Amino acid sequence: MNFKLTEAQKSIKDTVRKFAETKIEPISFQLDEKSIFPEDIVKEMTQMSIMGLPYPAEYGGAGKDVLSYIIAVEELSRIDAGVGVILSAHVSLGSWPIMEFGTEEQKRKYLVPLASGKKIGAFGLTEANAGSDAGETETTAVLEGAHYILNGSKVFITNADYADTYVIFAVTTPGIGTKGISAFIVEKGWEGFTFGTHYNKMGIRSSATAELLFNNVKVPKENLLGKEGQGFKIAMKTLEGGRIGIASQALGIAQGAYEKALKYSKERIQFGKPISRQQDIAFKLAEMATKIRAARFMVYSAAQMKEEHESYGKESAMAKLYASDICLEVVNDAVQIFGGSGYIKGFPVERMYRDAKICTIYEGTNEIQKLVISNAIIGRPKKTPSTAPSKPESHKLASASITGNRKKIIIKEGSPEERVAAFLKYLESENIEVKTGFNEEVYGSIGEADRVCSIGRGLKSKDDLPIIVDLTKNIGAQLGCSRPVAEEKNWLPLDRFVGVSGRKFKGAFYLAIGISGQVQHLGGIKNAKIIAAINIDEKAPIFAQADYGIVGDLYEIVPILTKALKK
């Protein structure tokens, strides 16, 4: 391999570097602080033909090689890793499977707008119960006539609701593990396809990450990618290339942190000389530069192997493993060189420190990379016949049972008054004595409460909060909410939100009002004795995690329920 870049590759490197420094760096703090997806930046990247660098011009791409694309990811990540992963997820995950496995019609319809940057791509494999073990996929696609009916959810999806085209993996033949998984091209805007709120991430905050929710989504038969049962193979081949992108992202973060630390060390004077002249700092810089150089050769080599259509699975895993590991080490050293300043928000190395960690996790954790590498070296172990019972085929929402076994009794028939009356009878059968539970103070401890009434994004205005407070008082409960209500809208104090990162409820009765039922919220209520829900959408995931539910507009149901309780 020639370790020198071609003139064309140098030009791309210089162009993207200048773009990142002049357009992204001035706003990188704001993007991170406010978790802003940089739509205008992505539009400029489209105008520069960055969004389709490795794809042929006939399919809307720039016609460049894989290494040129990898260099672009590196240079973007050197300034802002969130922007780097927007490009990586779009090119390596959302577009490549269509290029590699799509029919000519699929390429013309979907790849052309993706490679030209007119549309953004995303990739949906991970689920609540299917992370490293994709064989536990629970999302289903059932063929009915001319369509597959898609039900389920995907978590931690990069580009999330900013994407237009998604490669989604679902079970088409239950009970046979990975051989029963198929891949589909899914479009945003199809009925039943919705999104959860954005995750409040530690790092890469300029990228959008959220859940994808599928409720009886009709996917045309012609949108099957490859053949039925090839989904797992398509996913694994896609991730092989995606790992080079993440390795490049890690490389860019490390390079950026190193450059910041080097510059600072030359300017910071202690004991009468720049700290770069202190041997300990000088040696630290030497080790950082050496690690980055070694990582770059591994990343570029894997990219070149992919370009030349060689087998590169082991090498991409090695590049991802090593580059992400040394990225953590380099950024940690950079923060150390900055000292107290490196721990303060506004200094780029503080952000890079948070950005770095994700590179060891997504697109296959580093533990999985070691498994991939070791299998390539010593061979895969022989498979033993599975004794696990096959999973039943289901046309219902395939939602992970995060809250355990629930009754899932959903009341949707009759007038609002009749639905409320039926709901109260069910609660009485559970010995939930809501009729005598009036409580004036609703801001007590959620963790110690016996009952909690929580509000979500179904509430349209903070001015409408009193109707929820009134119901909460008459149920004899404490007031809770979903994360967006407290953290994004600031309608309630932060100690009110319930979820994995919020308060945990383990009392007798939990009522979720206008809450969709995302994974992070469900994790905070899984130990509740009884879970009930009120939601206008009968397909809302919360109903699959609840004992009882009323389908209806909260603005109609809540006052009727409150009035009934007062009687």
Side-chain angles (χ1 to χ4, degrees):
M1 175 185 177
N2 183 354
F3 292 103
K4 291 184 178 180
L5 300 182
T6 65
E7 289 304 315
Q9 291 165 344
K10 286 180 182 178
S11 176
I12 289 172
K13 182 181 181 70
D14 293 341
T15 299
V16 178
R17 173 170 286 215
K18 182 179 179 181
F19 170 74
E21 289 178 346
T22 57
K23 295 299 182 72
I24 302 175
E25 191 162 21
I27 61 172
S28 58
F29 176 77
Q30 287 75 21
L31 296 179
D32 173 75
E33 187 73 8
K34 298 181 180 180
S35 197
I36 300 171
F37 185 89
E39 294 184 80
D40 290 340
I41 292 295
V42 173
K43 288 178 181 177
E44 289 194 56
M45 288 162 60
T46 295
Q47 294 167 2
M48 297 167 64
S49 299
I50 292 175
M51 301 299 283
L53 273 172
Y55 297 118
E58 64 178 303
Y59 293 120
K64 305 301 181 182
D65 61 351
V66 175
L67 183 53
S68 293
Y69 151 64
I70 290 302
I71 290 170
V73 174
E74 177 190 350
E75 289 300 325
L76 293 172
S77 301
R78 171 178 163 268
I79 298 300
D80 189 317
V83 180
V85 81
I86 291 171
L87 178 63
S88 180
H90 166 77
V91 173
S92 294
L93 303 184
S95 305
W96 187 83
I98 300 173
M99 176 67 199
E100 186 70 13
F101 298 98
T103 64
E104 187 61 28
E105 290 75 17
Q106 288 173 338
K107 292 177 184 177
R108 293 294 173 190
K109 183 175 181 180
Y110 293 109
L111 182 60
V112 170
L114 287 170
S116 65
K118 294 178 181 178
K119 292 187 176 181
I120 299 175
F123 178 89
L125 176 64
T126 303
E127 299 181 4
N129 288 338
S132 296
D133 185 3
E136 291 299 311
T137 295
E138 294 175 327
T139 296
T140 60
V142 179
L143 183 60
E144 293 184 359
H147 295 84
Y148 286 89
I149 308 301
L150 185 66
N151 279 297
S153 63
K154 299 294 179 179
V155 300
F156 308 141
I157 305 305
T158 302
N159 291 342
D161 51 340
Y162 287 94
D164 305 280
T165 305
Y166 304 76
V167 176
I168 301 298
F169 299 86
V171 175
T172 48
T173 305
I176 59 174
T178 56
K179 294 182 179 179
I181 298 174
S182 301
F184 299 89
I185 303 172
V186 177
E187 297 180 31
K188 181 166 69 176
W190 284 352
E191 184 179 357
F193 179 14
T194 57
F195 307 91
T197 55
H198 292 174
Y199 294 107
N200 187 18
K201 306 189 297 292
M202 177 172 74
I204 57 167
R205 291 171 58 81
S206 57
S207 69
T209 312
E211 286 185 65
L212 311 183
L213 306 171
F214 306 104
N215 295 315
N216 293 324
V217 178
K218 290 184 176 180
V219 181
K221 284 172 62 177
E222 58 267 25
N223 278 43
L224 173 69
L225 189 59
K227 298 178 181 179
E228 276 200 14
Q230 288 187 334
F232 184 75
K233 171 189 172 184
I234 292 173
M236 294 304 104
K237 293 297 293 182
T238 301
L239 289 174
E240 283 185 358
R243 286 164 186 157
I244 307 176
I246 299 307
S248 182
Q249 180 192 12
L251 176 61
I253 297 171
Q255 181 68 39
Y258 164 74
E259 290 177 4
K260 297 293 183 186
L262 177 61
K263 183 175 184 294
Y264 179 82
S265 71
K266 291 179 178 180
E267 298 170 348
R268 173 69 167 168
I269 307 297
Q270 290 289 277
F271 303 104
K273 59 183 176 182
I275 62 173
S276 61
R277 294 298 179 183
Q278 305 289 349
Q279 188 180 71
D280 185 68
I281 300 300
F283 283 9
K284 197 182 293 289
L285 290 165
E287 291 175 350
M288 294 162 73
T290 301
K291 291 172 182 176
I292 292 171
R293 181 172 170 81
R296 179 168 288 111
F297 286 157
M298 293 186 73
V299 176
Y300 286 13
S301 173
Q304 191 63 32
M305 292 176 72
K306 186 176 189 295
E307 174 67 24
E308 295 174 1
H309 304 287
E310 298 178 24
S311 176
Y312 62 92
K314 178 182 68 176
E315 287 74 17
S316 68
M318 287 177 169
K320 197 266 191 187
L321 171 66
Y322 184 75
S324 60
D325 277 347
I326 69 99
C327 176
L328 285 176
E329 296 169 5
V330 168
V331 174
N332 184 67
D333 285 342
V335 171
Q336 193 70 23
I337 290 172
F338 269 81
S341 296
Y343 201 69
I344 303 299
K345 284 189 179 296
F347 282 82
V349 293
E350 182 273 337
R351 169 170 49 83
M352 293 170 176
Y353 190 84
R354 289 183 284 107
D355 288 345
K357 181 56 191 172
I358 191 60
C359 297
T360 69
I361 297 173
Y362 56 13
E363 304 215 16
T365 64
N366 280 10
E367 289 75 18
I368 290 297
Q369 304 313 312
K370 292 175 184 178
L371 183 63
V372 171
I373 297 165
S374 61
N375 283 341
I377 294 171
I378 62 178
R380 291 181 176 275
K382 292 183 179 180
K383 293 183 179 180
T384 56
S386 174
T387 58
S390 61
K391 297 179 182 178
E393 184 175 353
S394 173
H395 290 229
K396 297 180 180 180
L397 177 66
S399 183
S401 298
I402 296 170
T403 60
N405 295 324
R406 297 290 171 176
K407 296 181 177 66
K408 302 177 186 177
I409 297 174
I410 311 303
I411 306 164
K412 57 183 179 180
E413 304 297 335
S415 67
E417 290 78 8
E418 290 171 335
R419 278 174 272 163
V420 167
F423 178 69
L424 289 173
K425 284 185 178 180
Y426 280 121
L427 296 190
E428 288 175 2
S429 71
E430 297 284 359
N431 295 318
I432 303 295
E433 298 178 357
V434 291
K435 293 182 180 178
T436 59
F438 188 84
N439 176 38
E440 185 64 39
E441 177 52 56
V442 298
Y443 291 97
S445 171
I446 289 175
E448 298 175 1
D450 188 55
R451 307 168 193 175
V452 165
C453 180
S454 277
I455 184 63
R457 291 198 301 170
L459 195 70
K460 298 174 183 177
S461 169
K462 184 179 181 180
D463 294 337
D464 300 330
L465 195 57
I467 67 172
I468 307 301
V469 173
D470 195 18
L471 173 62
T472 302
K473 289 180 177 180
N474 282 276
I475 289 180
Q478 300 299 325
L479 181 63
C481 65
S482 63
R483 181 185 63 80
V485 170
E487 196 169 75
E488 296 175 13
K489 297 180 180 294
N490 296 313
W491 290 354
L492 286 172
L494 286 174
D495 66 352
R496 295 290 96 197
F497 88 78
V498 180
V500 172
S501 58
R503 297 295 179 266
K504 311 296 187 296
F505 175 74
K506 52 183 182 294
F509 179 68
Y510 188 85
L511 178 59
I513 304 172
I515 292 176
S516 63
Q518 292 189 66
V519 172
Q520 61 265 42
H521 187 81
L522 298 172
I525 63 174
K526 62 183 179 181
N527 293 320
K529 181 181 177 183
I530 298 295
I531 298 174
I534 299 171
N535 201 295
I536 197 170
D537 180 8
E538 67 177 283
K539 298 175 183 178
I542 189 68
F543 288 132
Q545 306 285 345
D547 295 287
Y548 305 103
I550 302 178
V551 176
D553 187 342
L554 72 85
Y555 286 92
E556 189 174 40
I557 298 297
V558 168
I560 295 172
L561 178 56
T562 304
K563 183 178 179 180
L565 292 171
K566 288 180 178 180
K567 289 182 179 180

